[in-house]
Every structure is written in C-alpha cells, then in structure tokens.
Amino acid sequence: MASSGLEVAATASSAWLCCPNHHIHTSSSRSRKHLLLHGLYGSAPARTRYSSCNFIHNVMSRYYICFVVNGGEPCRGRRPPVWSAAAATAAAPADTAASARREQVEIARSLNAWVEENMLPLLTPVDSAWQPHDFLPCSAAGGGEALAAFTEGVAELRAGAAGVPDEVLVCLVGNMVTEEALPTYQSMGNRAEGLADGTGVSPLPWARWLRGWTAEENRHGDLLNRYLYLSGRVDMRQVEATVHRLLRNGMEMLAPASPYHGLIYGAFQERATFISHGHTARLAGQHGDRALAKICGVIAADERRHEAGYTMASARLFELDPDGMARALAEVMRGKVTMPGQLMSDGRDGDGEHSLFARFSAVAERAGVYTARDYGDLVEHFVRRWRVAELAAGLSGEGRRAQEYLCGLAPKIRRMEELAHRRAARIEPAMARFSWIFDRPVMLG
C-alpha cells in the first residue's frame, strides 16, 4: 500500500514489565496497572473518470501485515474481562492516545497462547505443502525422455496460455508483481519495536506465525513468475524490472500505532486476494487455460486460510476490547489505506490516473478480477462476521459513533459504486498500453 498510510502496531514502552505471575505493570501507577491487566492476562489461550476504479485502489492489491508479539505467557484459569474505555480511564493516570495504544499492545501480547492453539495450526507443514514445481513441467535434467517430457509440458502450457485475453494477463502480472514484493511486507510486520521478531528466530507464537505466513506466501510469486516465464505471453524483462522497482520504491507507511489496525487490515487484504485469485482462476478456466486455473485456485486457497487466521484474531480482540476494535475498524475504513503495489512502476508510467497501479486497477475492475462491488461485499462480510451491530457493553461514545458508521458503510459503498458506473457509462472507455504485454493496448474502466 502506498499513500497516506495505515497505522499498524504500537511500540510498547520499555517500562512495561512482566512479573513472575505474569501481571503487567509500569514503573508509574504500578499497582493500578497491575490490577487492571491481571484479569486480562488471566486468559487462556486523485479523482478521474475511472471513479469506480479509483474507489477500489485502496483495496486492490496485496498487503501482508502480520504481527509478532513477544509479550509474557498468560496466567491460567481465569476468564478475561471485556476491555472497556471506561475501565482504562478509571485505572490509567491519563486517558491519552499513547496510553490507549500501549494497552492495545499488551492485549495483543496476551494472545500468544491463543495464537499457538488457533492460528499456527492453519499453517501447512512443509512436508505436506504444495510447491511451485508441482504445477509446472518438470525441468529435471535427464536423458532424451526427460527432455521430451519437459518440452511437451511447456508446449501444453503455452497452448493453454494462448487463449488468455490480454486484460487477464495484465491482472495476473499485477498480482504477481505485488506477490513478489514479499520482503517488504515481512519487514513491515517486523518493524514495530517491542512486537517484532527481534531475533529472527523467536519461538513466540506471533513470530512463528509471521515466518510461517511469509514462507507460504513466498510460493505464490514463485509459481506465478514461472508460469508467466514459460507461457511466452509477456515481456519478462519488463515484468522483472517492475518487481525490482517496487522493492526499491517500497511502501509509504506511517509509523505503527496499534496492532489492532494491522490485524484488521490483514483480514481484509487476505480476503481481497482470495477473491482476486479466485476470479482469475474462473476467467482462466473460461478461456481454456486449465493449468492457470489450477494455479490461481491453489493460491486462493492459501489466502483463504490466512484470512481465517487474521479474522479469528480480530474476532478475539473484539471480545476483549470491543471499543478499541470498533474504533480501529472505523479508522481503517476511513483512512486512505496505502496499498503495497501502489508504487509499482515499469519506468514508463506517469502519475495519478496514468500511474501503472491506477491503470492496472482500472483493468482489474473492467475484467471483473477485483471490483468495487467486491469491496462492498467484503466490508459487509466483516461487519457481520465481527458482529459489529451487536456490540453494546464496553462501548464509549466514540465507539458507538464508530459502530454506527460501520453498520452504514456497505450500503454507502454500493451507492457510490452505482453512481460511478453511471458516470463511466456516459464516457467512452479509454485504451492504455502495457509494457508487460509488449505494449499491446488494453481497455480501461
């Protein structure tokens, strides 16, 4: 993501300590902090005529933010209370944004045992996981028969790829480029001081989730890259240069503020990419490319598992801190979310509506790979999944306002989408050339 940015995770004060009974306190207001958090740690486990396309720029591409939390192991045998703004105000010396973020960091840290039990099982053991080689012609060296089998496999793959329309290829390349920028996404998840995998080999559950998630995601770019290389349909040097530039350009993000934002956003992004790869699989099948359909389908299945992890973690936080999560969700929805692929460039694109990411998003909208309607469905799904409308106890005035905003958001998105399509229908669609496909023109919007 890349523009105004998304606040993701807060830095915990070095004054926070874990006592032998896992009560959390600070050097100041020690006893009140101790009592306040003891119950918690008792838990078990730019406007253009492509308005509809611009509207989905904030949800189009991948954003892999994971959180590693290196807090204390929770105490056993006590049920956590619902976290409330009122309780925090009563216990803390000052109801400031900074102190609220510190509380959110400690609540996230308290989930380490829960992550061990509920999220880590979602990661597939390496020995039973699929690998890119499983879906591509075998290139192993051997005698004449092995070479003949490889040649035949490549010819079959190319025959299937020949029927894939250029607009689908553009979407596929854009998704692959964003997948290949994975090093940036892991570094974003690791930059929150006090929450990150500080050693690179931390045994804590949040750190293991981050590394396991990264390992599984790494296969996606590898598989799509090799497919595109063997297909012969794209200019691989231009594609590779785009990946290179995106990694150099990075992601424009604000300093981390709260793990709540990142977990929510991780859920949204994983579901968005599940939808995007799923739609690409469907289109590939319709145009006779069974290999690509299978490839995109298996990647979509990975995204679905990862979405489940972030969604469950967010749901757990809604139980512990409904007010904080309602406000965080509203902030994520109101903010201009910085997309991971927004700074992609092939060295030829311009700014604004002429940027490579803007044109890629416009093609994706038109092709039906990822649309404003998908985004509206996604918002509606999470508001329902996290039972935002049912929140009552523990909500502050700001929390109730966030709840009201969130419950009315999906209908508002649908109205905006309808207006955008009406405006677009009155204007003749434009064409744009993509260096990825040897400068062939593709229709936008």
Side-chain angles (χ1 to χ4, degrees):
M1 309 163 229
S3 66
S4 62
L6 172 67
E7 295 181 344
V8 179
T11 299
S13 167
S14 59
W16 288 78
L17 303 173
C18 184
C19 74
N21 292 323
H22 311 293
H23 303 181
I24 301 302
H25 56 78
T26 61
S27 56
S28 61
S29 304
R30 180 167 180 165
S31 60
R32 283 178 293 178
K33 242 0 152 186
H34 199 115
L35 291 171
L36 179 64
L37 288 175
H38 181 273
L40 174 68
Y41 275 76
S43 64
R47 292 181 296 174
T48 75
R49 66 187 187 81
Y50 312 119
S51 51
S52 63
C53 300
N54 287 337
F55 181 71
I56 65 165
H57 285 176
N58 289 345
V59 294
M60 179 55 222
S61 224
R62 299 195 54 77
Y63 181 38
Y64 305 109
I65 288 291
C66 303
F67 299 91
V68 289
V69 193
N70 57 0
E73 181 73 358
C75 300
R76 304 295 179 181
R78 287 181 293 276
R79 183 177 180 81
V82 170
W83 192 263
S84 68
T89 302
D95 184 18
T96 64
S99 64
R101 286 194 295 269
R102 286 196 297 271
E103 309 296 357
Q104 292 177 1
V105 167
E106 295 306 323
I107 293 172
R109 283 177 170 168
S110 77
L111 293 182
N112 263 307
W114 183 92
V115 171
E116 175 87 43
E117 183 176 345
N118 295 278
M119 290 181 70
L120 292 183
L122 294 172
L123 299 174
T124 306
V126 176
D127 289 341
S128 58
W130 64 264
Q131 299 299 334
H133 183 270
D134 300 336
F135 300 95
L136 298 169
C138 179
S139 60
E145 291 185 4
L147 179 60
F150 174 68
T151 303
E152 183 180 347
V154 171
E156 184 178 347
L157 184 147
R158 289 191 170 212
V164 178
D166 282 344
E167 59 266 27
V168 177
L169 282 177
V170 167
C171 296
L172 186 64
V173 171
N175 284 342
M176 185 277 282
V177 167
T178 313
E179 295 275 6
E180 290 280 61
L182 183 62
T184 297
Y185 314 144
Q186 184 182 23
S187 69
M188 298 302 285
N190 248 338
R191 70 179 184 152
E193 184 180 357
L195 302 179
D197 180 4
T199 66
V201 291
S202 170
L204 290 167
W206 275 120
R208 286 157 56 203
W209 168 265
L210 175 64
R211 296 197 302 270
W213 168 85
T214 302
E216 292 193 350
E217 290 286 341
N218 185 64
R219 302 170 304 162
H220 301 172
D222 287 350
L223 178 54
L224 293 174
N225 194 319
R226 294 173 198 173
Y227 166 86
L228 288 168
Y229 174 78
L230 293 174
S231 75
R233 293 290 311 278
V234 302
D235 185 337
M236 282 306 297
R237 195 177 199 287
Q238 281 299 116
V239 172
E240 291 161 354
T242 304
V243 174
H244 194 160
R245 287 189 175 90
L246 180 55
L247 282 165
R248 284 173 61 100
N249 292 341
M251 293 167 60
E252 186 180 348
M253 297 288 294
L254 295 178
S258 167
Y260 290 9
H261 297 80
L263 291 172
I264 289 169
Y265 199 75
F268 270 81
Q269 284 298 319
E270 293 299 302
R271 186 168 183 84
T273 39
F274 157 69
I275 291 169
S276 179
H277 286 299
H279 286 169
T280 306
R282 174 180 52 81
L283 290 170
Q286 289 177 356
H287 293 285
D289 193 337
R290 291 181 296 177
L292 180 58
K294 191 171 184 179
I295 286 169
C296 292
V298 75
I299 293 174
D302 268 8
E303 309 294 8
R304 189 64 177 266
R305 282 189 296 107
H306 299 159
E307 175 211 336
Y310 291 114
T311 300
M312 289 193 303
S314 297
R316 181 64 176 149
L317 287 171
F318 264 106
E319 295 174 2
L320 295 173
D321 185 5
D323 186 72
M325 282 294 284
R327 289 184 285 118
L329 179 55
E331 288 166 8
V332 171
M333 294 295 95
R334 287 192 179 106
K336 185 177 181 183
V337 179
T338 309
M339 300 304 295
Q342 195 165 346
L343 294 182
M344 66 170 60
S345 171
D346 62 356
R348 303 181 186 179
D349 51 316
D351 299 322
E353 66 181 284
H354 302 294
S355 73
L356 181 57
F357 183 79
R359 291 183 285 121
F360 156 59
S361 298
V363 173
E365 168 80 13
R366 183 176 183 84
V369 167
Y370 196 83
T371 69
R373 179 177 294 277
D374 291 323
Y375 179 55
D377 291 344
L378 188 146
V379 171
E380 187 174 60
H381 167 81
F382 283 114
V383 168
R384 182 174 61 250
R385 171 65 177 82
W386 292 325
R387 301 181 177 180
V388 175
E390 301 174 26
L391 299 178
L395 288 188
S396 64
E398 186 178 352
R400 287 191 293 272
R401 288 188 291 274
Q403 179 188 44
E404 182 179 358
Y405 162 75
L406 292 167
C407 290
L409 185 57
K412 181 179 179 180
I413 291 172
R414 299 194 195 288
R415 289 194 297 271
M416 292 173 64
E417 175 208 358
E418 185 177 344
L419 289 173
H421 279 297
R422 288 178 182 175
R423 287 193 294 268
R426 294 194 293 266
I427 302 173
E428 183 179 353
M431 303 290 288
R433 295 182 182 276
F434 285 83
S435 66
W436 297 339
I437 53 172
F438 303 99
D439 290 313
R440 294 192 296 270
V442 176
M443 189 171 293
L444 302 178

